[in-house]
Amino acid sequence: MALKIVKGSIDRMFDKNLQDLVRGIRNHKEDEAKYISTCIDEIKQELKQDNIAVKANAVCKLTYLQMLGYDVSWAAFNIVEVMSSSKFTYKRIGYLAASQCFHESTDVIMLTTNQIRKDLSSPNQYDTGVALTGLSCFVTPDLARDLANDIMTLMSHTKPYIRKKAVLIMYKVFLKYPESLRPAFPRLKEKLEDPDPGVQSAAVNVICELARRNPKNYLSLAPLFFKLMTSSTNNWVLIKIIKLFGALTPLEPRLGKKLIEPLTNLIHRIYLFFSQILHHLSAITLVCFSWLIAFLFFITVLISLSSGMPNHSASIQLCVQKLRILIEDSDQNLKYLGLLAMSKILKTHPKSVQSHKDLILQCLDDKDESIRLRALDLLYGMVSKKNLMEIVKKLMLHVDKAEGTTYRDELLTKIIDICSQSNYQYITNFEWYISILVELTRLEGTRHGHLIASQMLDVAIRVKAIRVFAVAQMATLLDNAHMLTGNTQRNGICEVLYAAAWICGEFSEHLENPMETLEAMLRPKVATLPGHIQAVYVQNAAKLFATVLKSQEGNTDSTTAQEASQLMIDRLPLFVQSANLEVQERASCILQLVKYIQKLQQKDVEVSEEVCALFAGELNPVAPKAQKKVPIPDGLDLDAWINEPPSESESEDEQPKAIFSKEEPKHSRPRHTEVDEKELARRREARKQEQANNPFYIKASPSSQKVYQETPGVEHIPVVQIDLSVPLKVPGLPMSDQYVKLEEERRQKERAEKKKKDKKKRKEKRSGRGKKHDSGPESEEDITPAHMVDIVTEEMPENALPSDDDERDPADPHKALDIDLDKPLADSEKLPVRSHRAAEVLKSPAEDEEGENVSSLEPKKKSSKEKREKKKDKDKDRKVKMLFESGLSEAKSSKHKKKKQKREKEDKEKKKKKKHHHHHHHHGDKGGEESVQNGTVEEEEPLPAYDIQGNLQDGSQVVVSVIFENKCDSFLKSMEFNVLDSLNSKLQRPEGSGPHDSLTIPFQLPPGVSNEARFVFTVQSIIMPQKLKGTLTFIVKNEESSTHEKLDFKLHFTCTSYLITTPCYSDAFAKLLESGDLKSSSIRLEGVNMPFHHLLARICFHHHFSVVERIDSCASMYSRSIQGHHVCLLVKISSQTVSVDAKCDEPTLLGNVLDEIKQTFSQC
Amino acid sequence: MIKAILIFNNHGKPRLIRFYQYFAEDMQQQIIRETFHLVSKRDDNVCNFLEGGSLIGGSDYKLIYRHYATLYFVFCVDSSESELGILDLIQVFVETLDKCFENVCELDLIFHMDKVHYILQEVVMGGMVLETNMNEIIAQVEVQNRLEKSEVRPFLSSSKSFPLIYVFGFSQVSAIKYSLSVL
């Protein structure tokens, strides 16, 4: 034995610790992987040993290996073992490892629930702290649900160190278990005013995090935050609060006004804080600091003003000017932050930022990529019809200069974003845009070929006027395809050929020379392109072929048509051999078709019409959300069963219901029902009208002819002759720059014309004050599109619902946290608390899970039920404490008891016992309480706590649950429980035993262990409280001796323990009161110094009532006894006096209940 | 919220990684590589903010970093954090390390990754800033270290009294501390 120990410790001495491992890895640079794998083998050996120190050391090394990228999840179980060590040192190692490598799908997490709970309630605050820290990293929905209540308790811990951690972790719990938010929120709010600044800051942190996603739910906290802002000295808190106000002010403009003054006062403090930070960063001149002040001031003012008060543009303007100086500063961090702030202003006041375009463009030249990206971001919001071309031109220059593909790709996507934003709102000349896109194709190695391609397709399809131009450009692209495909390694750009081929095929009627293009599309080089592009080539070659045939129709000389057929027949076999199925299939199909056509051609048969018919019809763009928006036709109920649902009664004879059965208008979809034809027509009309009035939503004419229809909305825009200013065909690859110049000229000409017109008009009118015209810069509206910008809207189904499209991502966890926090808590909202399995027959499975180990974990003697009670957060602490007292004190008098009701609030008070109606297996609640009457062996005995619960289902039985805990160092066994029966209440004993026999408790108690036993009582009348005397006998066994001990106690059955919380609706309640069967009675409580809702909560909790209705300082409440007595209360509060008027059909019961209520409040 | 905290050296070797959102180990390594790539190519005189890498974040996330001598300290945060505030936090963290290790250098982080984690746990918890007061952080760390000493010293000291270096006759502890220049 001794030898073994020595050997063990020698082995251990040779174990590597973390430092040795690191050193070893550093010494094996060349064969690191091999070395580590031998280390992992050693670690596996170490994990097999029983010594927890060895295991912890191994786990610590695994944590290091995890950092190097090794998967250590195989050791998850060992990590849990180390976590459960009783030593802080090892526990900390275990939790660290768990927080690094556990995640939601780690299955051993299930095993940790009880361990974590035990650690959370550890007397050592650092055990608790370490558990909270670990839990914050791997909390799962199950853990959140099971532990929410324990964590909430910790929010009121005596140590601020624990409080702040508990507050912070609540955010994680909310995310995983949103139901906990409402019950926990009142306490979280309390923590905003915690005396410890760390806790306060944690609470602000959590609430800001919550409010960021759902600000409207937190508006009611604004006054509290306002107070905090003016009183707090913690800069972190201030920053968070200011950010929070930034989110709140848009919702409540009045807030903004209130904020200005205190914000101004804050500036100095924040300034000091930031100057400290910046001091570390680099030498910043004092001048810079003053700008920093200005910056902060204006940012904060901005936040407060940005809420849509239009007359603040002057101060915004000023603010932007200050920001400009900041951006011009040499310090890069300031520059960055300045740009960031600019982008915030841009969202609300785009105009004021736009005048600083020069500065922003200048930032594009900055050496710092972060700053360039910020500037790009700003540009996106700054473009207008007027400056779009100029900005894009500048960006194109940068594209050419940019080194590094990441930044260049970023530029490329930004250019496309800028141009295509808001449905091409700012593009006045689509030829220019196509040229830009074509220029972008010259970028080598970009990843964004598909983006350019989709833009080309989109523009060509939706802007009909541009098709002629686009087709010409695309034909050129196809012709020069070799330039794009030169480097097949990184040929993301060849995606544009996909678009080019499709456009050329689809709109081939606009092609100058279809034959040439056809030839270009069938070149052998095409076979090197990716399969999906080849497929498009083949298909569109067929379209082109049809066009060629058509153009030759009526032409007596059929050589061109035959040449085309021959070309197809010569080239297509290449594609028939393609490895790509799609290409192969299309090619062989088309090849056969062409062969057949060639035959017909040789017989001089006119085929062009038939061939064209293959590709007739127009494709319209369909909005991505169109399908979702198709309204459900009247009378169609998607939830209705098509067939008879499988039912227990196999009645086959019932007629199957028709899907479109008219007779059942569904309530679930009220807006579709009862919409008659007229209404539909009206809506359709309204929608059309709306679209017509929006110049950028011009719908194609319903006949879908290719007519450039002038809709009413654009009539007033003068349509300019295209042919004058812009050459339709730009030879070779186009230069977008030409368009910039042309556009300038065009606009000037337009202006001149307009001026002329105006002059004429003026002359006609003879108006005297013409001189103020035209001198100013042209405004947005003056710029007219070069083309009739005929953007075809994306198609939507008829009657599309004009609904909100901006649904949030359903996966967003914050969506579940969009909860109204101002509503009072409903009775059913509470956090699950664990309790004994036996008591839980009807409980939710959630609570059920951990039922068993409770007793071993209980730090105090609490009945499991009490734990459940904890969920009523308000009274929780008080109650637990009382229980605790009842266990500890040796008072001779009867003790407190608790009871609880099946799912409601409970009371604790003294009760007299009376009738019973309880049902065994239902958690009957009834508290028995045991007073330790002969204080003899007090430390040794199990001090019971008990719990009484009534149940409606059996009016004559009560179950008393008693928790026994052994607080002494000896073993307790042979416990026997006996109660002296009264006439009214009797302990149920097993059949065959006498009326005075005691019951044997079916377990023994080792030191420090607690367990629960339950006893059933039969009760006749419940209208009076009652006390029963009882005795517990047991044997105390220790090493030397065993003694026989006895403990006397009293069980106190109160009247309220027979009440069961029963919800009641106000109309039923009113009827009940009107019925007149009820006797009334009333009491007054003086000096009640608590908020009304606390008062109500207390009554609900301790006396099992539910609130029926509450109006101001008056509330009606209801409860029901297990024997069906109705108890109604009307509670009013004025100053510190509470009057309770009560009605009940049993006056004695009522009197006793009222006495008990009185007692509850006299205790507090 | 802070999504991740990464410390790596001038060669991209991780010295501490702390993700507050789950990523598999190989993804974590990729993120470190990407972040290192992004951060290391930046001059020392550019700003300390960086739009997030594609792997870790998307547009709502930023990398806020500082470079001390041989080490990069990188925090990946979302838009609810103040940029300057996080810079300050990094400073607080590094100064705390400096106090706890007495002139911290990269070797301290290499050999005591666990201790660095314990210090970090007092600063940031579950991605949220827990404490920014350096004295408070150091106080809590020290109490816990004392607690650890009282529990484990008997065993540890016995093994320490026969350091492996003597057993094998060589010493790798030739580490010369070069303290972080900024501090």
Side-chain angles (χ1 to χ4, degrees):
Chain A
M1 176 74 179
L3 187 65
K4 205 173 160 192
I5 291 172
V6 170
K7 189 167 171 288
S9 66
I10 289 176
D11 280 350
R12 231 175 297 141
M13 201 175 80
F14 286 98
D15 283 347
K16 290 195 187 78
N17 64 16
L18 176 61
Q19 282 76 32
D20 303 326
L21 174 78
V22 175
R23 208 167 285 133
I25 292 175
R26 287 162 68 83
N27 285 339
H28 291 77
K29 287 227 165 74
E30 47 317 314
D31 54 350
E32 187 180 302
K34 195 174 147 216
Y35 178 76
I36 289 179
S37 78
T38 62
C39 290
I40 289 181
D41 288 343
E42 285 168 22
I43 289 171
K44 283 182 176 160
Q45 289 308 315
E46 289 166 24
L47 288 174
K48 282 185 193 145
Q49 298 188 29
D50 289 334
N51 188 322
I52 192 71
V54 175
K55 269 188 188 159
N57 183 39
V59 164
C60 186
K61 289 189 280 184
L62 282 177
T63 313
Y64 183 82
L65 294 178
Q66 196 271 346
M67 179 179 80
L68 299 184
Y70 290 84
D71 177 14
V72 299
S73 56
W74 50 270
F77 186 77
N78 304 104
I79 292 173
V80 174
E81 284 180 304
V82 175
M83 279 162 70
S84 56
S85 157
S86 56
K87 283 197 173 164
F88 170 75
T89 311
Y90 304 138
K91 193 184 286 298
R92 183 157 79 154
I93 291 171
Y95 272 104
L96 174 62
S99 69
Q100 288 290 74
C101 67
F102 283 11
H103 52 94
E104 286 210 357
S105 47
T106 304
D107 42 10
V108 293
I109 282 191
M110 306 185 311
L111 305 177
T112 62
T113 314
N114 285 318
Q115 179 58 43
I116 295 174
R117 177 175 286 137
K118 190 171 153 196
D119 291 336
L120 290 182
S121 52
S122 160
N124 177 351
Q125 62 163 327
Y126 292 103
D127 283 352
T128 313
V130 128
L132 283 172
T133 305
L135 185 61
S136 73
C137 294
F138 56 78
V139 61
T140 63
D142 283 346
L143 283 178
R145 188 195 57 223
D146 296 339
L147 298 173
N149 193 54
D150 303 73
I151 298 171
M152 220 167 83
T153 317
L154 292 178
M155 284 165 72
S156 312
H157 199 273
T158 49
K159 296 279 196 318
Y161 178 73
I162 297 304
R163 285 208 301 275
K164 74 182 176 193
K165 288 194 169 198
V167 168
L168 269 193
I169 202 181
M170 279 316 277
Y171 178 65
K172 294 280 175 147
V173 172
F174 296 152
L175 283 183
K176 301 288 179 189
Y177 179 56
E179 290 86 341
S180 60
L181 177 55
R182 274 171 52 74
F185 193 71
R187 182 162 305 182
L188 186 58
K189 217 165 113 183
E190 270 171 42
K191 295 295 137 194
L192 285 176
E193 299 178 287
D194 195 278
D196 182 85
V199 180
Q200 208 179 46
S201 146
V204 169
N205 215 335
V206 170
I207 290 183
C208 288
E209 213 41 72
L210 290 168
R212 192 163 73 100
R213 312 299 181 121
N214 302 299
K216 64 177 190 312
N217 298 336
Y218 300 86
L219 259 183
S220 60
L221 292 182
L224 193 55
F225 278 111
F226 189 77
K227 200 173 115 200
L228 267 183
M229 188 175 74
T230 46
S231 63
S232 173
T233 55
N234 182 330
N235 292 315
W236 275 88
V237 170
L238 288 176
I239 294 173
K240 287 275 173 191
I241 293 179
I242 292 175
K243 280 202 174 233
L244 176 71
F245 276 126
L248 292 183
T249 38
L251 302 172
E252 178 50 278
R254 281 173 301 170
L255 256 182
K257 282 186 199 153
K258 256 193 119 177
L259 285 172
I260 296 175
E261 200 204 322
L263 279 177
T264 320
N265 296 336
L266 281 180
I267 301 304
H268 186 61
R269 233 162 56 210
I270 301 180
Y271 155 68
L272 282 177
F273 174 56
F274 281 136
S275 62
Q276 261 169 9
I277 301 168
L278 290 167
H279 180 68
H280 301 303
L281 293 176
S282 60
I284 295 177
T285 61
L286 274 180
V287 182
C288 174
F289 279 145
S290 64
W291 290 123
L292 188 61
I293 302 176
F295 160 65
L296 289 165
F297 174 75
F298 284 104
I299 290 309
T300 45
V301 170
L302 180 82
I303 289 167
S304 60
L305 296 184
S306 62
S307 44
M309 290 183 282
N311 49 352
H312 286 289
S313 54
S315 56
I316 298 286
Q317 201 61 49
L318 194 56
C319 172
V320 174
Q321 272 163 20
K322 302 290 179 198
L323 281 179
R324 184 184 172 109
I325 293 160
L326 205 63
I327 294 171
E328 285 167 342
D329 193 273
S330 60
D331 184 84
Q332 296 286 310
N333 283 331
L334 290 186
K335 191 176 265 193
Y336 181 90
L337 292 174
L339 288 169
L340 198 63
M342 267 299 195
S343 68
K344 279 179 187 145
I345 302 179
L346 185 68
K347 277 183 202 131
T348 48
H349 299 80
K351 285 251 167 72
S352 43
V353 180
Q354 274 164 8
S355 52
H356 300 279
K357 192 182 62 195
D358 58 316
L359 177 66
I360 311 295
L361 286 172
Q362 201 179 308
C363 287
L364 283 178
D365 296 323
D366 199 283
K367 61 182 185 309
D368 187 347
E369 188 172 315
S370 294
I371 289 180
R372 291 198 302 253
L373 288 173
R374 282 258 66 89
L376 269 183
D377 226 31
L378 271 172
L379 281 181
Y380 177 83
M382 289 175 62
V383 291
S384 64
K385 283 183 185 173
K386 203 171 81 183
N387 62 17
L388 176 70
M389 284 188 174
E390 187 196 334
I391 289 181
V392 172
K393 185 180 159 194
K394 184 98 203 257
L395 291 178
M396 292 297 286
L397 284 181
H398 282 280
V399 171
D400 292 338
K401 279 192 295 187
E403 76 283 5
T405 51
T406 334
Y407 178 60
R408 204 179 52 182
D409 282 358
E410 187 62 33
L411 270 171
L412 189 152
T413 48
K414 264 289 155 2
I415 290 175
I416 289 180
D417 280 354
I418 287 175
C419 292
S420 62
Q421 65 177 311
S422 331
N423 210 14
Y424 307 104
Q425 187 184 354
Y426 301 114
I427 295 186
T428 52
N429 187 332
F430 277 93
E431 288 181 11
W432 164 81
Y433 186 44
I434 294 275
S435 323
I436 289 285
L437 290 175
V438 172
E439 272 178 48
L440 287 176
T441 62
R442 286 187 234 142
L443 289 184
E444 254 179 53
T446 176
R447 286 181 291 121
H448 293 299
H450 62 277
L451 190 61
I452 303 174
S454 69
Q455 283 290 299
M456 286 173 169
L457 287 171
D458 200 40
V459 171
I461 294 170
R462 294 173 60 194
V463 185
K464 290 180 177 173
I466 201 66
R467 284 179 191 165
V468 176
F469 180 79
V471 166
Q473 291 299 320
M474 295 303 122
T476 322
L477 261 188
L478 285 179
D479 205 31
N480 296 315
H482 56 279
M483 291 170 63
L484 301 180
T485 56
N487 186 350
T488 41
Q489 255 32 43
R490 331 171 274 154
N491 54 356
I493 201 65
C494 69
E495 289 287 325
V496 299
L497 292 175
Y498 178 99
W502 190 87
I503 292 170
C504 285
E506 183 67 20
F507 306 118
S508 52
E509 69 270 19
H510 302 301
L511 270 179
E512 274 289 274
N513 193 341
M515 217 23 212
E516 248 172 43
T517 310
L518 183 60
E519 197 275 331
M521 282 170 72
L522 292 172
R523 282 178 200 154
K525 192 105 204 278
V526 171
T528 60
L529 292 174
H532 67 284
I533 299 179
Q534 286 186 55
V536 171
Y537 264 67
V538 171
Q539 187 77 8
N540 285 284
K543 290 183 195 167
L544 274 176
F545 175 62
T547 315
V548 173
L549 289 189
K550 194 172 172 203
S551 66
Q552 296 303 316
E553 192 178 353
N555 193 338
T556 46
D557 172 20
S558 63
T559 46
T560 316
Q562 288 185 0
E563 269 170 29
S565 309
Q566 196 51 48
L567 180 68
M568 295 284 280
I569 291 170
D570 289 346
R571 300 282 176 84
L572 278 175
L574 176 66
F575 298 102
V576 174
Q577 295 161 6
S578 167
N580 187 300
L581 276 185
E582 179 83 15
V583 178
Q584 197 185 77
E585 201 168 41
R586 291 188 189 194
S588 60
C589 192
I590 290 166
L591 181 61
Q592 289 313 310
L593 183 70
V594 177
K595 281 182 179 164
Y596 180 65
I597 290 167
Q598 197 185 32
K599 259 185 228 160
L600 292 175
Q601 277 174 333
Q602 281 156 1
K603 293 180 198 157
D604 277 339
V605 183
E606 268 309 328
V607 288
S608 65
E609 207 165 303
E610 280 88 348
V611 177
C612 287
L614 285 174
F615 306 109
E618 192 181 0
L619 294 173
N620 286 328
V622 175
K625 286 185 182 149
Q627 180 64 45
K628 223 164 64 186
K629 299 239 171 172
V630 177
I632 296 172
D634 288 349
L636 172 61
D637 178 7
L638 293 174
D639 296 331
W641 286 83
I642 296 177
N643 298 314
E644 206 48 28
S647 59
E648 312 84 78
S649 65
E650 309 240 334
S651 50
E652 290 284 317
D653 45 0
E654 271 180 52
Q655 292 214 329
K657 269 187 195 147
I659 313 173
F660 291 97
S661 65
K662 255 205 167 146
E663 75 277 8
E664 31 179 9
K666 288 296 161 190
H667 298 289
S668 57
R669 239 178 287 280
R671 60 181 156 166
H672 299 310
T673 57
E674 296 158 5
V675 179
D676 58 16
E677 265 309 299
K678 241 185 183 168
E679 171 67 6
L680 284 179
R682 198 187 57 72
R683 284 191 201 169
R684 213 172 292 155
E685 199 48 49
R687 192 169 56 84
K688 277 191 191 143
Q689 197 61 39
E690 193 185 325
Q691 283 184 352
N693 287 335
N694 182 342
F696 286 96
Y697 282 84
I698 301 166
K699 182 97 172 72
S701 62
S703 57
S704 86
Q705 289 166 328
K706 298 186 187 178
V707 176
Y708 302 158
Q709 191 198 12
E710 295 204 358
T711 49
V714 287
E715 260 166 1
H716 63 282
I717 303 177
V719 177
V720 177
Q721 300 299 327
I722 313 166
D723 45 344
L724 291 182
S725 56
V726 185
L728 270 186
K729 218 169 54 152
V730 181
L733 290 174
M735 286 304 298
S736 57
D737 292 357
Q738 293 171 259
Y739 289 97
V740 180
K741 226 179 271 165
L742 288 173
E743 180 72 10
E744 267 315 300
E745 286 167 17
R746 184 182 71 81
R747 282 185 197 168
Q748 235 153 40
K749 210 189 300 175
E750 212 170 78
R751 253 195 315 251
E753 265 169 38
K754 201 168 166 201
K755 213 191 265 177
K756 240 189 273 168
K757 237 191 265 167
D758 283 353
K759 248 184 218 156
K760 232 199 258 161
K761 239 191 252 163
R762 242 182 292 149
K763 259 185 213 154
E764 283 164 12
K765 280 188 172 178
R766 313 241 161 218
S767 118
R769 12 183 194 132
K771 64 175 174 214
K772 75 165 186 189
H773 282 259
D774 298 324
S775 42
E778 61 183 340
S779 67
E780 279 291 283
E781 306 83 64
D782 291 337
I783 302 173
T784 58
H787 308 273
M788 175 66 217
V789 187
D790 186 7
I791 298 181
V792 182
T793 48
E794 296 171 318
E795 287 201 336
M796 282 297 224
E798 285 293 287
N799 294 333
L801 307 169
S803 59
D804 36 305
D805 325 358
D806 306 326
E807 290 141 24
R808 278 199 261 170
D809 174 12
D812 181 3
H814 297 278
K815 202 176 170 190
L817 288 179
D818 189 1
I819 295 170
D820 181 3
L821 295 164
D822 296 332
K823 239 172 27 188
L825 279 181
D827 292 340
S828 57
E829 291 184 271
K830 42 194 165 180
L831 297 175
V833 179
R834 73 211 154 116
S835 49
H836 289 284
R837 182 181 296 267
E840 284 203 343
V841 185
L842 294 188
K843 289 262 144 96
S844 71
E847 295 181 18
D848 225 336
E849 276 172 20
E850 348 158 49
E852 320 229 68
N853 328 21
V854 181
S855 52
S856 62
L857 295 181
E858 299 254 20
K860 308 162 182 174
K861 61 177 88 182
K862 292 181 208 169
S863 81
S864 61
K865 288 183 174 172
E866 292 167 38
K867 293 248 162 136
R868 212 180 318 132
E869 293 172 5
K870 280 202 210 159
K871 33 181 109 150
K872 294 91 201 201
D873 47 6
K874 299 251 162 74
D875 290 329
K876 157 171 71 185
D877 292 334
R878 216 169 60 93
K879 178 170 241 184
V880 169
K881 207 150 94 217
M882 291 188 71
L883 256 191
F884 191 48
E885 283 162 4
S886 83
L888 281 185
S889 66
E890 311 157 300
K892 314 264 153 83
S893 67
S894 66
K895 308 285 174 138
H896 326 298
K897 37 188 81 186
K898 338 199 112 148
K899 19 169 97 180
K900 21 184 64 162
Q901 277 294 122
K902 157 158 150 195
R903 56 191 83 165
E904 272 309 331
K905 327 243 168 168
E906 338 229 325
D907 300 336
K908 112 189 16 179
E909 297 186 282
K910 322 243 169 166
K911 337 177 125 163
K912 317 45 200 302
K913 85 118 123 308
K914 245 333 141 325
K915 266 204 167 129
H916 14 339
H917 272 26
H918 289 342
H919 164 52
H920 302 15
H921 278 96
H922 251 9
H923 359 307
D925 355 9
K926 178 49 12 341
E929 113 205 40
E930 326 209 337
S931 57
V932 186
Q933 295 235 352
N934 355 342
T936 50
V937 265
E938 198 262 340
E939 311 93 313
E940 292 182 23
E941 27 241 32
L943 295 176
Y946 54 88
D947 205 289
I948 307 179
Q949 208 153 10
N951 191 286
L952 275 179
Q953 293 178 23
D954 187 335
S956 62
Q957 283 180 336
V958 185
V959 175
V960 179
S961 310
V962 185
I963 296 276
F964 299 90
E965 180 177 3
N966 184 359
K967 307 196 72 161
C968 65
D969 297 326
S970 310
F971 197 87
L972 302 188
K973 59 179 207 173
S974 304
M975 291 188 282
E976 292 191 342
F977 179 89
N978 202 356
V979 169
L980 203 56
D981 289 351
S982 71
L983 285 179
N984 192 26
S985 309
K986 293 184 170 64
L987 176 63
Q988 281 200 349
R989 296 174 168 88
E991 276 186 27
S993 51
H996 304 297
D997 292 353
S998 46
L999 291 180
T1000 305
I1001 294 170
F1003 49 75
Q1004 302 179 335
L1005 288 178
V1009 168
S1010 64
N1011 207 338
E1012 179 192 25
R1014 288 160 345 122
F1015 307 97
V1016 180
F1017 287 79
T1018 315
V1019 190
Q1020 274 160 16
S1021 163
I1022 62 163
I1023 59 172
M1024 295 285 286
Q1026 183 165 353
K1027 287 178 190 164
L1028 292 187
K1029 280 189 181 170
T1031 312
L1032 185 70
T1033 58
F1034 50 92
I1035 292 171
V1036 181
K1037 189 163 183 280
N1038 53 28
E1039 285 178 20
E1040 307 92 55
S1041 64
S1042 65
T1043 50
H1044 207 268
E1045 302 283 4
K1046 177 174 146 222
L1047 176 68
D1048 290 337
F1049 59 86
K1050 276 184 193 162
L1051 283 177
H1052 197 155
F1053 289 55
T1054 62
C1055 276
T1056 40
S1057 60
Y1058 302 121
L1059 296 181
I1060 294 186
T1061 313
T1062 317
C1064 182
Y1065 293 106
S1066 52
D1067 44 355
F1069 188 76
K1071 238 175 242 166
L1072 192 61
L1073 291 179
E1074 280 163 20
S1075 69
D1077 308 336
L1078 307 181
K1079 315 286 182 296
S1080 63
S1081 168
S1082 67
I1083 50 166
R1084 290 173 76 80
L1085 307 169
E1086 301 288 346
V1088 176
N1089 192 11
M1090 64 175 84
F1092 191 50
H1093 61 275
H1094 285 178
L1095 177 95
L1096 293 183
R1098 196 160 281 196
I1099 296 177
C1100 288
F1101 184 73
H1102 293 303
H1103 300 280
H1104 313 183
F1105 280 88
S1106 62
V1107 177
V1108 178
E1109 204 172 11
R1110 180 186 161 187
I1111 302 160
D1112 297 329
S1113 58
C1114 182
S1116 47
M1117 310 180 83
Y1118 177 80
S1119 185
R1120 198 170 160 200
S1121 78
I1122 51 174
Q1123 292 181 342
H1125 304 292
H1126 302 287
V1127 188
C1128 308
L1129 300 185
L1130 181 65
V1131 186
K1132 289 184 229 163
I1133 190 165
S1134 60
S1135 65
Q1136 296 208 333
T1137 306
V1138 178
S1139 68
V1140 181
D1141 295 310
K1143 289 194 170 190
C1144 176
D1145 39 14
E1146 175 52 66
T1148 322
L1149 175 67
L1150 181 61
N1152 288 321
V1153 169
L1154 288 179
D1155 285 348
E1156 286 161 18
I1157 291 178
K1158 209 167 184 172
Q1159 197 143 12
T1160 307
F1161 287 97
S1162 67
Q1163 283 169 1
C1164 61
Chain B
M1 289 275 285
I2 298 168
K3 196 177 196 174
I5 295 172
L6 309 175
I7 304 177
F8 44 73
N9 71 2
N10 286 344
H11 306 289
K13 285 247 181 229
R15 293 309 177 206
L16 175 135
I17 57 174
R18 173 73 277 197
F19 286 89
Y20 294 104
Q21 177 189 334
Y22 174 69
F23 290 101
E25 276 77 11
D26 50 348
M27 183 54 89
Q28 292 185 354
Q29 297 299 312
Q30 278 185 44
I31 290 173
I32 295 168
R33 279 194 293 273
E34 187 196 55
T35 312
F36 171 68
H37 180 71
L38 286 173
V39 167
S40 62
K41 68 180 184 199
R42 293 173 63 81
D43 287 347
D44 273 347
N45 57 354
V46 298
C47 71
N48 301 63
F49 316 116
L50 192 57
E51 318 276 309
S54 55
L55 295 176
I56 197 170
S59 56
D60 195 35
Y61 287 90
K62 273 198 188 76
L63 300 176
I64 298 176
Y65 73 97
R66 297 189 74 167
H67 188 194
Y68 295 95
T70 60
L71 291 175
Y72 285 97
F73 288 72
V74 185
F75 281 44
C76 175
V77 304
D78 70 11
S79 60
S80 69
E81 301 293 345
S82 150
E83 288 83 5
L84 288 180
I86 293 292
L87 276 184
D88 185 49
L89 188 70
I90 299 178
Q91 182 70 25
V92 167
F93 178 47
V94 173
E95 280 182 31
T96 309
L97 289 178
D98 197 46
K99 290 244 167 71
C100 293
F101 287 107
E102 289 158 22
N103 274 335
V104 68
C105 73
E106 188 181 343
L107 284 174
D108 293 315
L109 274 73
I110 295 173
F111 285 104
H112 302 285
M113 182 205 70
D114 48 344
K115 304 214 165 43
V116 181
H117 266 295
Y118 299 143
I119 295 170
L120 182 61
Q121 283 177 356
E122 299 302 325
V123 183
V124 177
M125 181 176 131
M128 286 185 290
V129 179
L130 179 68
E131 183 59 70
T132 52
N133 179 339
M134 191 165 35
N135 295 332
E136 170 72 14
I137 298 168
I138 292 174
Q140 298 296 354
V141 169
E142 278 174 355
V143 178
Q144 295 180 56
N145 288 343
R146 278 200 296 276
L147 187 59
E148 176 174 330
K149 251 180 224 163
S150 70
E151 284 181 354
V152 196
R153 272 313 150 187
F155 163 66
L156 261 195
S157 58
S158 74
S159 91
K160 277 293 173 189
S161 63
F162 300 99
L164 293 181
I165 354 172
Y166 298 132
V167 176
F168 295 106
F170 62 85
S171 165
Q172 284 301 318
V173 197
S174 55
I176 301 163
K177 291 193 172 189
Y178 36 103
S179 71
L180 304 182
S181 65
V182 180
L183 302 173

